[in-house]
Amino acid sequence: MVIDSKQTTVAYRCSECGAGVISMVGLFSLSADMIKLKCTCKESEMQIVHRKEDNQMRLSIPCIFCRKPHTYNISSNMFFSKDIFLLPCPYSDINIGFVGDENMVKAELARTELELLDMLEENGISDFKSLHGDEEDLPDSQVLDVVTYVVGDLDAEGKIYCKCYPDGREPLPDDVLVRDDSEYEVSVTDDGVEVCCAKCGAKKVIPTDSMLTAHAFLNSDFLKLE
């Protein structure tokens, strides 16, 4: 089934209270520069901009893991025609944004909630409200250990990609980048663990502000530097 090309359903999960936020978005409503989808707790919002110059939809979605929004660009045609389009946190396998048919979006939102609840339980967190506790209570050294271990593991498996990737194409999850020796530098910054390619300068910062973030990154199949 292909949904009406004039409207679609968008949703995200509030990064503060954990509630699912869902709304119908029509092409007419996007005639303005920006529309905002806000949670009832008033602590988060999803922004959607229709860039008429290239007919792209620019989405800024709050992330329940990283405590900061991630930005995605989708063609207008795909935005309004796909049955379901999932937008994951770049550091985990968990989807944080949903676009498409209303019933499919609601089903995926519910499935992701169960996945998140399981993850919270594994990390000893009772509910979404206590997800982001006081920063002083976070086990900083343990978070750093988990993230740096995963980075080293991905490097050893040839699963870190950057602008040096051969043929200039995007890597696939099953690809392995074989290098004679590691050219990736890992350093700890105020924002997290930074991985940088010494050859092309591409880099990525993995947040280390919570064990949940570290757990999400633990499930990563690869790391792409930009």
Side-chain angles (χ1 to χ4, degrees):
M1 181 185 71
V2 178
I3 60 176
D4 193 322
S5 61
K6 298 298 182 180
Q7 63 182 13
T8 191
T9 300
V10 297
Y12 77 96
R13 188 167 303 284
C14 178
S15 56
E16 297 300 322
C17 71
V21 185
I22 186 169
S23 178
M24 186 71 72
V25 173
L27 186 61
F28 178 77
S29 63
L30 283 168
S31 59
D33 291 337
M34 176 190 297
I35 63 172
K36 298 179 180 180
L37 176 58
K38 297 185 178 182
C39 180
T40 55
C41 77
K42 300 180 181 180
E43 296 297 326
S44 71
E45 66 178 29
M46 175 181 180
Q47 299 180 356
I48 306 174
V49 176
H50 182 202
R51 302 191 313 193
K52 298 181 179 62
E53 63 272 16
D54 56 5
N55 204 28
Q56 292 277 316
M57 312 301 297
R58 183 180 179 88
L59 284 67
S60 178
I61 306 176
C63 181
I64 201 168
F65 300 109
C66 303
R67 301 300 305 279
K68 63 180 181 181
H70 298 302
T71 301
Y72 306 85
N73 293 312
I74 309 173
S75 71
S76 178
N77 180 60
M78 183 174 294
F79 185 83
F80 285 107
S81 65
K82 291 276 288 187
D83 285 342
I84 187 71
F85 197 91
L86 305 175
L87 302 164
C89 163
Y91 305 109
S92 73
D93 294 327
I94 305 296
N95 297 311
I96 61 171
F98 315 86
V99 181
D101 171 75
E102 181 179 7
N103 291 329
M104 291 186 178
V105 167
K106 287 181 177 179
E108 184 60 28
L109 198 60
R111 188 198 67 78
T112 303
E113 180 172 358
L114 294 177
E115 192 173 7
L116 280 169
L117 288 173
D118 287 341
M119 188 178 292
L120 293 178
E121 184 177 357
E122 291 178 11
N123 285 274
I125 301 174
S126 57
D127 54 36
F128 287 113
K129 291 183 179 180
S130 57
L131 174 60
H132 302 296
D134 295 333
E135 292 298 319
E136 61 185 15
D137 295 331
L138 297 177
D140 294 335
S141 60
Q142 189 177 358
V143 174
L144 287 172
D145 287 345
V146 171
V147 172
T148 52
Y149 169 80
V150 174
V151 170
D153 205 35
L154 292 174
D155 189 9
E157 294 179 359
K159 292 294 186 177
I160 298 180
Y161 308 113
C162 59
K163 298 174 184 177
C164 299
Y165 197 81
D167 303 327
R169 68 177 178 85
E170 289 288 318
L172 300 174
D174 293 333
D175 286 346
V176 174
L177 178 56
V178 179
R179 306 178 74 145
D180 295 333
D181 55 358
S182 177
E183 296 288 343
Y184 299 114
E185 300 174 348
V186 180
S187 58
V188 178
T189 70
D190 292 338
D191 297 323
V193 175
E194 181 182 270
V195 183
C196 179
C197 176
K199 286 187 175 181
C200 68
K203 64 181 63 177
K204 175 76 75 174
V205 176
I206 299 94
T208 55
D209 55 355
S210 74
M211 275 304 296
L212 188 63
T213 303
H215 185 101
F217 185 59
L218 188 63
N219 295 323
S220 297
D221 294 324
F222 63 94
L223 177 63
K224 183 181 177 182
L225 312 183
E226 299 176 349

